[in-house]
Amino acid sequence: MKIGILGYGNLGRGVESAIRQNDDMQLTCIFTRREPSSIRPATEGVAVYSADEIEKLQGVIDVLVLCGGSATDLPSQTPEYAKYFNVIDSFDTHARIPEHFAAVDKVAKENGHVALISCGWDPGMFSLLRLYGAAVLPEGKDYTFWGKGVSQGHSDAIRRVKGVKNGKQYTIPVEEALREVRSGSNPILTTRQKHTRECFVVAEEGADLLQIEKDIKSMPNYFDEYDTTVHFISEEELKEKHAEIPHGGFVFRTGVTGLEKEHKHVIEYSLKLDSNPEFTASVILAYARAINRLSKEGVSGCKTVFDIAPAYLSPLSGDELRAHML
Amino acid sequence: MKIGILGYGNLGRGVESAIRQNDDMQLTCIFTRREPSSIRPATEGVAVYSADEIEKLQGVIDVLVLCGGSATDLPSQTPEYAKYFNVIDSFDTHARIPEHFAAVDKVAKENGHVALISCGWDPGMFSLLRLYGAAVLPEGKDYTFWGKGVSQGHSDAIRRVKGVKNGKQYTIPVEEALREVRSGSNPILTTRQKHTRECFVVAEEGADLLQIEKDIKSMPNYFDEYDTTVHFISEEELKEKHAEIPHGGFVFRTGVTGLEKEHKHVIEYSLKLDSNPEFTASVILAYARAINRLSKEGVSGCKTVFDIAPAYLSPLSGDELRAHML
C-alpha cells in the first residue's frame, strides 16, 4: 500500500521510518506547507510536493497520514483531505473529538473514503484498554496515568513564561498512587495525588529566577494543581540531557466479581516509550493498513480505534492469526 | 439479551454471577448433563433442563454459553449447538484451534448463527494483546508469562501420581525474567528461566514421600523442564489455604523504532485475578453481547476475539464511547 505524509515534523519523520518496518507499505510522497525544496526526506526517491498540489495526487496513494497538530491543523485538514483520500490523524483534543468525528464522517461518506481519527496511544491504545477493561469488568474503576515523559503542551507553556529562554517538562506518575491502584483498593485520587511535574528551564540572562519559578508553579490548569519542581539548567545541558521525547503511562481497570463481589481483579497496561512520536507513528501505520482494507471492502465514513476489528491491523491472514497468536 | 448456560461447574457459576453485573442481560436457563433436579441455581426462577432438551429452547435464548472442558466437551458441543443457537466457548487447546474453528464455522454458517470460540483471557485478552503488540511494533518480540496462579491441568497431573490423595499446583513467573523483559533487552529465555512450579500435595497414609516428589518432578511435559518445589501438607491445610482459583500473567511486546532502530519501546499487559473462572466468565459475557449484536446485523459464522471490533463489547453507544472513553 502506498502512503502519503502531510507534514514533515517529528510525527511525519516517525511515519517515514516506521514505513520501513512494514513490508507491505511504501512511502510515495510527502506534502508540506513549507517550500518543498527545503525538505530532505530520509528516504531516497520520495517526491515532496507543496500541500497546495495535494488534490492532484488522488488515486496515487492509498492512505494519507495527517501529521499536523490538533489545535489548528487537523480540525480543518482531516475533513478537507477526506474528500480526496483515505485519511488518518492523531487528533488528541479529547473534548472536541465528537465534533471532529462528525465533520470528518460527513465528508468521508460523501466522497466514499475511510477516515480514522484520534489514533496513537492516548487517544488510541489507552482508549482501547479503557474500553476492554470496562467491558470485561463492568463493576469497577479505571485509572489512567501518564509518564514518565515529556509533555509538549506543558513544555510550550513553560517557554511562554517571561524570562524563560527554553524549557522542557516531564509528567511523572506518583509511585504511591500506582501502588494503591495495583492493590485493587479502588482509591479516589486527586489530580495532585496522581502526577507530579518536573521542569528543566533555561533562563534568559539576568532573569528573575524566583519569579520564573513562581510564575510556572502558579500557572492555572497547567501547574497549579500539581506538585511542581523547577530546575534551572544551561542551554547545553538541556540539549545534552533532554533532547529526546520519551513518554508512556499506565491504564488500569480494577473490579470485582462473584455472587458476593468477593473476588478482586486488576488489569494493568503500561507503555514505556523511548520516542513518543515514533511509537505514535507506528500505531498509525497499523491502523492505516486497517482502513485501506476497509476501503477496499467498500466501507466509507469516519472510524476510531473502537470500530476496527483487531485482525485488520495485522499483515497476517485470519488462518495465520488463529494458528499462531490466539 | 437472554443467556443460556450449558454446564454448571466453576465457569457456569461464574457466568451466572457475572450476568448480574450486566444490566442488559438475564439468565434464562441452565442446561446440564446431570440430573436437572440435582442443580440448585443461585438465581431464583431460573429453569434447569437436561442437555437432551436443548433443541426445544431454540428462539428462547439469544446466546448459549458453553461451559464444558476443551479436552472432550467443546470439540463436539460447540459445532453441535451452533445448529440451534448463537454460541460462545472458551476452547483453550491452542494447537487444535484451527480445526475447531473450521468445524464450528461450517455449522454456524449453514444455520445462520454466530459462534465465538476461544474466549477468556488466554486465549482471549492475552491473544488480543499479542496481536495489537505485534501490529504496532512490527520489529520486536513478544513474551507471555502465566501466574502466579493455579493450573488446573498440572493439579490434575499431580493427583494422578501414585500415593497422592489431593494436590494443587501454582505456576509462578520468574521475577528475574520479568525484569529482563521489562528492560527491553529482548532476552532469549528457556522454559526453565520463565516459570517455576510449586506443588502442595496431600499424600495418602503411609505413602513414600520421596518417591512422590521424584515422580512429580520428573513428569515429562508437565514438570521435567521446570524447577519444581513440592510441599506435603494436610488435607485441612489444602482446604483452608488453597481453596481459591487465582491466576493471571503478563503479555509483553518489546521492540524498536527509528531510522537507526535507536528507540526501544516496552508494552506490558498484566492480569491479577482472584478468580480465574469468574474473570473468564466476565470476558465471555462481553463477547456474548458482541455476537448477539452481530447476529442481529445478519452476520453468521465462527469468529474469534480478533474479528470483533471493540465497540461491540460495550453497552455504550458509539457517541458515548467517543465522548467518554476515547
Side-chain angles (χ1 to χ4, degrees):
Chain A
M1 51 183 290
K2 296 185 170 68
I3 309 276
I5 292 172
L6 172 61
Y8 197 62
N10 285 329
L11 183 58
R13 285 193 298 270
V15 172
E16 178 181 28
S17 67
I19 286 171
R20 301 178 180 202
Q21 298 183 296
N22 288 282
D23 294 339
D24 56 344
M25 300 183 187
Q26 66 174 88
L27 176 59
T28 301
C29 53
I30 295 168
F31 300 96
T32 178
R33 285 171 302 172
R34 289 182 269 167
E35 165 57 39
S37 66
S38 73
I39 304 281
R40 292 277 154 94
T43 311
E44 261 183 71
V46 169
V48 181
Y49 299 99
S50 162
D52 303 332
E53 304 178 86
I54 205 161
E55 293 179 44
K56 299 181 196 155
L57 276 287
Q58 272 189 82
V60 176
I61 55 177
D62 295 307
V63 178
L64 177 67
V65 182
L66 300 169
C67 300
S70 296
T72 55
D73 300 333
L74 299 175
S76 62
Q77 286 179 350
T78 315
E80 184 180 345
Y81 298 124
K83 277 186 209 153
Y84 313 118
F85 306 100
N86 299 316
V87 292
I88 185 164
D89 78 20
S90 59
F91 185 77
D92 66 358
T93 312
H94 290 259
R96 297 187 59 194
I97 285 173
E99 62 185 287
H100 188 54
F101 181 89
V104 175
D105 191 49
K106 183 170 181 290
V107 179
K109 279 191 178 137
E110 283 169 0
N111 294 278
H113 292 124
V114 185
L116 192 135
I117 60 162
S118 303
C119 191
W121 60 274
D122 195 3
M125 300 310 295
F126 274 16
S127 321
L128 283 175
L129 270 289
R130 285 187 286 261
L131 191 163
Y132 280 121
V136 305
L137 283 179
E139 215 167 320
K141 261 177 85 71
D142 54 52
Y143 297 88
T144 302
F145 291 85
W146 297 274
K148 184 181 176 175
V150 173
S151 161
Q152 212 51 59
H154 288 77
S155 299
D156 289 345
I158 289 174
R159 289 190 287 260
R160 286 192 299 264
V161 169
K162 194 185 160 201
V164 170
K165 197 174 154 202
N166 209 343
K168 211 133 184 191
Q169 193 267 187
Y170 294 86
T171 305
I172 304 169
V174 175
E175 277 298 332
E176 176 57 26
L178 292 173
R179 252 198 309 276
E180 268 191 80
V181 170
R182 254 179 219 129
S183 76
S185 69
N186 284 2
I188 293 166
L189 297 167
T190 63
T191 299
R192 192 176 300 274
Q193 286 170 322
K194 288 183 72 186
H195 298 92
T196 57
R197 300 196 175 279
E198 192 170 19
C199 309
F200 293 87
V201 176
V202 181
E204 283 166 1
E205 228 180 277
D208 180 344
L209 302 191
L210 277 177
Q211 188 62 43
I212 289 175
E213 185 170 345
K214 205 177 142 194
D215 288 350
I216 291 174
K217 289 186 174 179
S218 62
M219 202 185 294
N221 302 318
Y222 285 92
F223 293 100
D224 64 339
E225 289 181 67
Y226 298 86
D227 290 335
T228 301
T229 316
V230 177
H231 307 279
F232 289 98
I233 61 173
S234 67
E235 186 79 52
E236 293 69 44
E237 189 177 342
L238 190 79
K239 282 216 176 84
E240 213 172 277
K241 297 189 183 159
H242 303 281
E244 296 283 331
I245 318 172
H247 219 315
F250 301 80
V251 174
F252 291 89
R253 177 76 180 182
T254 56
V256 292
T257 63
L259 286 173
E260 312 291 337
K261 329 273 189 214
E262 68 274 31
H263 292 126
K264 285 195 294 193
H265 306 279
V266 178
I267 305 173
E268 177 173 348
Y269 179 76
S270 73
L271 295 175
K272 216 164 61 192
L273 311 174
D274 273 1
S275 167
N276 181 352
E278 285 176 7
F279 185 76
T280 300
S282 212
V283 175
I284 285 175
L285 285 187
Y287 279 94
R289 177 183 292 121
I291 65 170
N292 185 44
R293 286 176 173 171
L294 287 172
S295 178
K296 286 195 199 313
E297 290 176 10
V299 171
S300 68
C302 188
K303 307 288 171 191
T304 74
V305 294
F306 295 154
D307 306 308
I308 309 292
Y312 281 96
L313 305 183
S314 173
L316 301 179
S317 70
D319 283 343
E320 290 171 314
L321 289 174
R322 283 186 294 273
H324 304 298
M325 283 213 183
L326 198 62
Chain B
M1 51 184 290
K2 295 186 171 68
I3 309 276
I5 293 172
L6 173 61
Y8 196 62
N10 285 330
L11 182 58
R13 285 193 297 270
V15 173
E16 179 181 27
S17 67
I19 286 171
R20 301 178 181 202
Q21 298 183 298
N22 287 282
D23 293 338
D24 56 344
M25 300 184 188
Q26 66 174 88
L27 176 59
T28 300
C29 53
I30 295 168
F31 300 97
T32 179
R33 285 170 302 172
R34 289 183 268 168
E35 165 57 37
S37 65
S38 73
I39 304 280
R40 292 277 155 93
T43 311
E44 260 182 72
V46 168
V48 181
Y49 299 100
S50 163
D52 302 332
E53 304 178 86
I54 205 163
E55 293 180 45
K56 299 179 195 158
L57 275 289
Q58 272 189 82
V60 176
I61 56 178
D62 296 307
V63 178
L64 178 67
V65 182
L66 301 169
C67 299
S70 296
T72 55
D73 300 332
L74 299 175
S76 62
Q77 286 178 352
T78 314
E80 184 181 346
Y81 298 124
K83 276 186 211 155
Y84 312 118
F85 305 101
N86 300 316
V87 293
I88 185 163
D89 78 19
S90 59
F91 185 77
D92 65 358
T93 312
H94 291 259
R96 298 187 58 194
I97 285 173
E99 61 185 289
H100 189 54
F101 181 88
V104 175
D105 191 48
K106 183 170 180 292
V107 178
K109 278 191 179 136
E110 283 168 1
N111 294 276
H113 292 123
V114 185
L116 191 135
I117 61 161
S118 302
C119 191
W121 60 274
D122 195 3
M125 300 310 295
F126 274 17
S127 321
L128 283 175
L129 271 287
R130 286 187 287 262
L131 191 163
Y132 279 121
V136 305
L137 283 180
E139 214 165 322
K141 263 177 83 71
D142 54 54
Y143 298 87
T144 302
F145 291 85
W146 297 275
K148 182 181 178 176
V150 173
S151 162
Q152 212 51 58
H154 288 78
S155 299
D156 289 347
I158 289 175
R159 288 190 287 261
R160 285 192 299 264
V161 169
K162 194 185 158 201
V164 170
K165 198 174 153 201
N166 208 342
K168 211 132 184 193
Q169 193 267 186
Y170 294 87
T171 306
I172 304 168
V174 175
E175 277 297 332
E176 176 57 27
L178 291 174
R179 251 196 311 275
E180 267 191 81
V181 170
R182 253 179 220 129
S183 77
S185 69
N186 285 2
I188 292 166
L189 297 167
T190 63
T191 299
R192 193 176 298 276
Q193 286 170 322
K194 288 183 71 186
H195 297 91
T196 56
R197 300 197 175 277
E198 192 170 19
C199 309
F200 292 87
V201 176
V202 181
E204 284 167 2
E205 228 180 277
D208 180 344
L209 302 190
L210 277 178
Q211 188 61 44
I212 290 176
E213 185 170 346
K214 204 177 144 196
D215 288 351
I216 291 174
K217 289 186 173 178
S218 62
M219 202 185 295
N221 303 318
Y222 284 92
F223 293 100
D224 63 339
E225 290 181 67
Y226 299 87
D227 289 334
T228 301
T229 315
V230 177
H231 307 279
F232 290 97
I233 61 172
S234 66
E235 186 79 52
E236 292 69 44
E237 190 178 342
L238 190 78
K239 281 212 177 86
E240 214 173 276
K241 297 189 184 161
H242 304 282
E244 296 283 332
I245 318 171
H247 219 318
F250 301 80
V251 174
F252 291 90
R253 178 75 180 183
T254 57
V256 292
T257 64
L259 285 173
E260 312 291 337
K261 328 272 188 214
E262 68 274 33
H263 292 125
K264 286 196 294 193
H265 306 279
V266 178
I267 305 173
E268 176 173 350
Y269 179 76
S270 73
L271 296 174
K272 216 165 61 193
L273 311 173
D274 274 0
S275 167
N276 182 351
E278 285 177 8
F279 185 75
T280 300
S282 212
V283 175
I284 284 175
L285 285 188
Y287 279 94
R289 176 182 293 121
I291 65 170
N292 185 45
R293 286 177 173 168
L294 287 171
S295 178
K296 287 194 199 311
E297 288 177 10
V299 172
S300 68
C302 188
K303 307 288 171 190
T304 74
V305 294
F306 296 154
D307 307 308
I308 308 292
Y312 281 97
L313 305 182
S314 173
L316 302 179
S317 71
D319 282 344
E320 290 170 315
L321 289 174
R322 283 186 294 273
H324 304 299
M325 281 210 184
L326 198 60

